[in-house]
Amino acid sequence: MAAYDYNNTDWAAIKRLSQWYSGDIHDVLDGRGPYGYLKGISQFGVLAPGQVVCGPVSTVLYEKSARTGQPQDVYHGAIDAVVKGGILMVDSSCAEGSGTGELMSSGAKTKGAAATVVNGTVRDLAEVRKLDYPLFAKGMSPVGVSGRMEATYYQTELNIDGVRIRPGDVIFADVTGVVVIPSELVGVIADAADELGKNEVVCRQRILAGEDLQKIWPVGKTGGPV
């Protein structure tokens, strides 16, 4: 199990990012390299209206395995070691099976994780939702992992559909979707999101006051909010 030092996490920037929503974050991140939206991953756990989750990533990678019983020791260790406020990013796309359900979500919440994001399926959703724990995935299935796959790597770089995810990178997730932010750009993206958010507040006020949209965004002006 690899170690990663979260002492350099920019928690102040993460707090600022948490004021906004995934559309804002992706708008300012767009075009900045192999980061961004995790396609097909959506909310399966519980979020309060308007709630977002944002925190540094701990990664877990599954590989195909015929081992039976409880082949979860690496994943268990990742949950036990998650930094408070961190997000578990699990890639279990290598085979059929749901490595995350009620018990793994219970452990993650107890250890202080902000959410779990799974590139694969999850199960026990009724029980997970009772936990009020944010869980994101590509789908749901009652199939377990025993004899199909097991978690083999922790704190390793992942590549999910062309999106790069490293330990310490930041995930932002809400009801609309999941976005990955490179750790070295967290402050830059927070600054840009703050600026975009302030502009959107002004636009919203003008819209609610009855002003025509074409006056707010004149013909030929690009890059405005939607």
Side-chain angles (χ1 to χ4, degrees), residues 126-207:
E127 291 77 13
V128 171
R129 288 168 179 166
K130 291 176 185 176
L131 297 171
D132 288 333
Y133 182 68
L135 178 64
F136 300 81
K138 280 196 170 177
M140 53 186 171
S141 167
V143 178
V145 300
S146 180
R148 298 178 178 86
M149 60 176 161
E150 65 178 296
T152 51
Y153 292 99
Y154 165 56
Q155 299 299 45
T156 188
E157 182 174 318
L158 305 177
N159 187 307
I160 297 177
D161 298 327
V163 178
R164 182 185 184 192
I165 308 170
R166 305 164 302 176
D169 286 340
V170 170
I171 278 183
F172 183 103
D174 61 15
V175 67
T176 304
V178 181
V179 179
V180 182
I181 306 166
S183 57
E184 63 271 20
L185 288 181
V186 169
V188 172
I189 298 303
D191 289 342
D194 285 347
E195 187 63 28
L196 177 61
K198 290 174 184 177
N199 291 337
E200 286 191 343
V201 168
V202 173
C203 291
R204 185 178 299 109
Q205 290 171 342
R206 293 173 67 183
I207 290 169

Side-chain angles (χ1 to χ4, degrees), residues 2-57:
Y4 182 84
D5 185 1
Y6 287 89
N7 288 325
N8 293 324
T9 299
D10 191 344
W11 292 105
I14 287 172
K15 184 176 181 180
R16 287 193 289 131
L17 287 167
S18 299
Q19 301 176 80
W20 309 115
Y21 54 91
S22 58
D24 288 327
I25 305 304
H26 192 271
D27 281 352
V28 298
L29 184 62
D30 203 15
R32 293 180 183 266
Y35 292 89
Y37 171 52
L38 295 181
K39 297 178 183 179
I41 295 180
S42 57
Q43 176 191 341
F44 282 87
V46 172
L47 287 177
Q51 181 184 356
V52 307
V53 293
C54 187
V57 172

